[in-house]
Amino acid sequence: MSYYGQYQKPGSRVKIVILLLLFAIPVLAIPMTIYVVEHAVDTIPEYFEDWLQGKIGTLFGGVFANFEARTSEWLENEYLRFQYYNPSDYENFYLAEGVSLYHYIETGQTIESTGTSISAYLVYFKTDNQEEIFTKLEKGPGITVSEDEKETIIELSNDLKQYAAKMTNTSNDLLPSDGSVTSKAVEWAVNIAENDAYGYCQEHRYGNPDYDCSSFVTAAYIAAGIPFRPSETTYTMKIDYAAQGFIIFDYVSVDQLKPGDVLLREEHTEMYIGDGHMVGAHCNEFRGVRGGVGGDQTDDHNWNTSKGEISVTPAYSPPISSFKWVLRYVR
């Protein structure tokens, strides 16, 4: 998706597309769901699964003999669904994860199996009143926990929150890393930005000869050896990048970034390359997303520091920057 907005077809074609989508959605829904479930087992970094199983063993090992298997199943079947949501939008986001995990360990059922979607479930956790949350969960999806269980679940949620905060720490020694992968991705991206043969276009977004924002960042990591689908979009990046060993956390400041980090919001993405700069595919020579001439036609344009279609630009912290998430390769 482009930073500068969507291109729209003439009205008659839009009507045709809408009709086709209305008929196609019921057919497509089943295979799309299967895709997420089948691929989720590869989306959790092993060190996180090991940490979580150890934590569950300490808290619940004496109660549930099958806690290890159930924890792995929860990670596969439900945990990733929470990653579509921004924790800062919910006062008790990590309590939501904790309740979901405990419920699965106890019953073997996901939240969605109760008839409640994850988005509807998370609404209960917008308040900071935990007692109110547990009361509403009992009346809503029918999740009942004892007073002792509440204390343990709250302890688990606090651990999840602390672990998530730890993952955003900028210490180079904190996270597993593979510098060769990220450095190759950064090098490829910068080289493409400096090559006038490549520009911006959503119609020819696979290097033939152009890229759009998501295909550009993804192509950089494909060049570095990560087996992504080239048809990546900003709306699928969180789930698909998690599947390849990326962790996801809120974007707070440029100071937290490392070279190779992917900056993301719903409609745009770029790659941080270090020294306060990022590289990305922005728009074509008409500041649009389609219809431009192949290759970079915008040399010397002044809305970026160099070429306007694919270029290196300064990276800013929120709220100046509207990026929401950081995707960091740690496998």
Side-chain angles (χ1 to χ4, degrees), residues 4 41 44 56 58 65 70 77 79 82 96 103 134 140 162 181 214 220-221 224 239 245-246 249 255 304-305 312 318:
Y4 295 100
V41 67
I44 308 299
I56 295 300
T58 300
R70 285 282 172 87
N77 295 325
Y79 170 75
F82 285 98
H103 178 70
F134 285 113
Q162 291 172 9
V181 171
S214 55
Y221 271 105
I239 189 74
F246 286 73
F249 51 91
D255 293 337
N304 283 316
T305 58
V312 174

Side-chain angles (χ1 to χ4, degrees), residues 29-314:
I30 293 176
M32 286 175 69
T33 301
I34 291 174
Y35 173 83
V36 171
V37 172
E38 286 184 344
H39 287 71
V41 67
D42 296 325
T43 64
I44 308 299
E46 184 177 346
Y47 61 87
F48 175 64
E49 182 171 358
D50 290 344
W51 171 85
L52 186 57
Q53 286 182 337
K55 181 60 63 177
I56 295 300
T58 300
L59 296 176
F60 306 120
V63 181
F64 304 110
N66 61 344
F67 71 89
E68 288 187 348
R70 285 282 172 87
T71 299
S72 295
E73 291 169 9
W74 177 79
L75 288 169
E76 176 182 345
N77 295 325
E78 189 148 83
Y79 170 75
L80 285 171
R81 300 185 188 278
F82 285 98
Q83 308 315 303
Y84 285 110
Y85 301 89
N86 188 350
S88 62
D89 291 338
Y90 306 89
E91 292 290 338
N92 272 288
F93 179 85
Y94 297 100
L95 180 59
E97 288 187 338
V99 171
S100 168
L101 175 53
Y102 183 83
H103 178 70
Y104 191 89
I105 292 174
E106 183 179 39
T107 67
Q109 294 183 331
T110 64
I111 295 299
E112 293 188 334
S113 69
T114 68
T116 304
S117 67
I118 293 297
S119 59
Y121 168 74
L122 281 171
V123 171
Y124 295 114
F125 297 87
K126 282 185 172 289
T127 177
D128 60 358
N129 188 327
Q130 295 179 334
E131 194 59 42
E132 178 184 333
I133 291 171
F134 285 113
T135 299
K136 289 183 176 180
L137 288 175
E138 185 173 356
K139 294 179 180 179
I143 298 175
T144 304
V145 295
S146 68
E147 291 301 319
D148 290 341
E149 290 169 340
K150 290 178 186 178
E151 291 182 7
T152 308
I153 292 171
I154 290 172
E155 181 179 349
L156 172 61
S157 69
N158 289 334
D159 288 334
L160 287 167
K161 184 176 182 178
Q162 291 172 9
Y163 191 90
K166 184 180 179 183
M167 288 296 94
T168 68
N169 190 296
T170 57
S171 168
N172 290 328
D173 298 326
L174 179 63
L175 295 172
S177 63
D178 185 345
S180 64
V181 171
T182 55
S183 62
K184 287 178 181 177
V186 168
E187 181 180 5
W188 183 93
V190 172
N191 286 340
I192 292 295
E194 293 175 347
N195 190 336
D196 287 343
Y198 301 97
Y200 183 101
C201 184
Q202 286 192 352
E203 292 172 311
H204 308 288
R205 62 191 294 264
Y206 304 121
N208 55 333
D210 300 324
Y211 296 93
D212 67 1
C213 64
S214 55
S215 66
F216 173 72
V217 171
T218 300
Y221 271 105
I222 291 175
I226 306 298
F228 281 119
R229 301 174 300 165
S231 57
E232 196 66 68
T233 73
T234 54
Y235 294 99
T236 60
M237 284 178 70
K238 287 177 72 177
I239 189 74
D240 291 344
Y241 273 57
Q244 299 298 339
F246 286 73
I247 60 169
I248 303 166
F249 51 91
D250 291 346
Y251 182 36
V252 177
S253 168
V254 172
D255 293 337
Q256 75 189 124
L257 299 179
K258 297 181 179 182
D261 283 351
V262 176
L263 294 168
L264 176 67
R265 62 174 181 266
E266 286 87 350
E267 296 180 346
H268 190 54
T269 185
E270 303 209 15
M271 178 186 294
Y272 184 72
I273 61 173
D275 196 28
H277 287 80
M278 59 187 180
V279 62
H282 305 113
C283 60
N284 64 25
E285 66 269 33
F286 306 117
R287 305 194 74 169
V289 300
R290 301 189 183 196
V293 177
D296 197 318
Q297 308 298 316
T298 59
D299 200 14
D300 296 329
H301 275 229
N302 61 12
W303 66 80
N304 283 316
T305 58
S306 56
K307 300 183 298 295
E309 296 197 33
I310 302 177
S311 62
V312 174
T313 61

